[in-house]
Structures are given as structure tokens and as C-alpha cells.
């Protein structure tokens, strides 16, 4: 039977930790991402159906880091990716990237922005005050050159 290892997954957005017991030799990165999705779903069940859809696709937006580098090869085993090489460091950092918007959603957002600016509903902020950084004082125009006293003396 393959040896099981306890991995700690630290989510970057809220510093929540979960621990997963996996076999490094047989578990692939894709399997780990699915396990992480299910583990976080158990800790925080979705409140609405929309949240459930977002949580089901969250493994596609997961970026997992170990020892400062991102793990990208989803078909390779965790052992081949270098996890477990240092036995005292079994921590993975999870970063959830924002899901990519579809082109229809982007067009709708642009249309809403153009409609709000056309109707004048956009809030206009006043221009920030101009700060004049030009120094008008005439008191520092002279430059004095100071001669060095010559050789330095060694103090014993």
C-alpha cells in the first residue's frame, strides 16, 4: 500500500487552511484540485444555486503553489512535481483566480457603461487640486565649494 501524506492547503484570499491526506505517488495535480474543491465545499456549503455552479468550476481557476513555484502539469503525480521532497514542508498555497468572463458578459458590461455615460448617470468627480512644486524662493541659488583639509590623520 502506498504511503499517505498529510498536506496543508492554505487559501490566499482568506487564509483558511484545510488538511488533506493523499498518496503523493498516485495522486495527480488534477485529482488534488478536485479534492480541494470538495473539501472547501464541505467547509462552506453554497448559499445559492449560482454559488454552487461557481464552486463546481472553481478547480479550473485554482492556482497551486509549492515552495514558490506554480504547479501546472495536471497529469503528473504530486511526487513528480516535487511535493514531499522536503518532508517538513507539506504546505501548498492556493490562489483562486477570477473566472474568465464570456464575450457576451463583457459586451453587456460595455453596453451598460456606454448607456450610463450617455444618459449622464455617471458620477463625475471633481478634478484634484493642482499642487505647484516649482520653488520660487531665491535664497538657495548660491553654491559654496568647501576644500578638503588635506590628508586624513590616523587615530591610534
Amino acid at each position: 500500500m502506498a504511503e499517505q501524506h498529510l498536506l496543508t492547503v492554505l487559501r490566499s484570499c482568506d487564509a483558511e487552511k484545510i488538511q488533506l491526506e493523499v498518496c503523493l505517488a498516485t495522486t495527480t495535480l488534477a485529482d488534488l484540485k478536485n479534492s480541494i474543491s470538495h473539501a472547501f465545499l464541505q467547509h462552506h456549503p453554497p448559499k445559492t444555486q449560482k454559488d454552487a455552479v461557481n464552486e463546481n468550476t472553481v478547480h479550473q481557476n485554482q492556482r497551486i503553489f509549492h515552495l514558490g513555484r506554480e504547479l501546472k502539469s495536471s497529469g503528473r503525480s504530486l511526487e513528480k512535481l516535487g511535493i514531499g521532497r522536503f518532508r517538513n514542508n507539506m504546505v501548498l498555497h492556493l490562489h483562486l483566480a477570477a473566472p474568465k468572463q464570456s464575450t457576451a458578459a463583457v459586451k453587456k458590461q460595455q453596453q451598460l457603461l456606454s448607456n450610463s455615460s450617455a444618459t449622464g448617470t455617471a458620477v463625475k468627480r471633481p478634478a484634484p487640486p493642482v499642487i505647484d512644486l516649482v520653488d520660487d524662493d531665491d535664497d538657495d541659488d548660491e553654491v559654496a565649494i568647501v576644500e578638503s583639509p588635506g590628508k586624513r590623520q590616523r587615530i591610534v
Side-chain angles (χ1 to χ4, degrees):
M1 183 171 167
E3 186 179 350
Q4 296 286 322
H5 294 276
L6 191 65
L7 291 177
T8 302
V9 180
L10 180 65
R11 190 164 53 181
S12 64
C13 63
D14 58 0
E16 184 175 343
K17 286 195 285 189
I18 60 165
Q19 292 190 330
L20 299 172
E21 195 168 323
V22 296
C23 174
L24 298 178
T26 58
T27 305
T28 64
L29 184 59
D31 296 337
L32 178 68
K33 286 183 175 186
N34 286 331
S35 299
I36 290 172
S37 294
H38 293 301
F40 278 115
L41 268 175
Q42 288 176 352
H43 286 273
H44 299 288
K47 296 177 181 123
T48 64
Q49 189 173 9
K50 184 180 178 183
D51 290 342
V53 170
N54 289 339
E55 288 294 333
N56 286 335
T57 59
V58 85
H59 73 278
Q60 297 167 354
N61 302 322
Q62 290 178 359
R63 296 176 65 196
I64 298 179
F65 295 86
H66 179 63
L67 295 176
R69 67 183 182 96
E70 184 176 3
L71 306 177
K72 292 185 176 182
S73 303
S74 60
R76 297 180 72 189
S77 70
L78 298 179
E79 185 177 54
K80 295 284 184 191
L81 290 170
I83 298 175
R85 186 175 305 158
F86 302 105
R87 297 276 180 210
N88 59 351
N89 190 349
M90 302 296 277
V91 178
L92 300 173
H93 295 269
L94 171 67
H95 175 75
L96 296 175
K100 294 180 181 176
Q101 291 183 340
S102 66
T103 55
V106 171
K107 285 181 181 179
K108 184 177 180 181
Q109 207 171 31
Q110 288 174 346
Q111 184 181 14
L112 288 173
L113 287 174
S114 66
N115 286 344
S116 67
S117 63
T119 59
T121 59
V123 177
K124 292 190 176 187
R125 296 182 185 165
V130 176
I131 300 172
D132 188 14
L133 298 176
V134 177
D135 186 17
D136 292 336
D137 295 339
D138 291 333
D139 58 353
D140 60 347
D141 292 339
E142 295 180 22
V143 177
I145 300 174
V146 179
E147 301 269 338
S148 65
K151 282 189 163 183
R152 287 201 219 164
Q153 295 182 359
R154 186 179 221 177
I155 300 175
V156 181

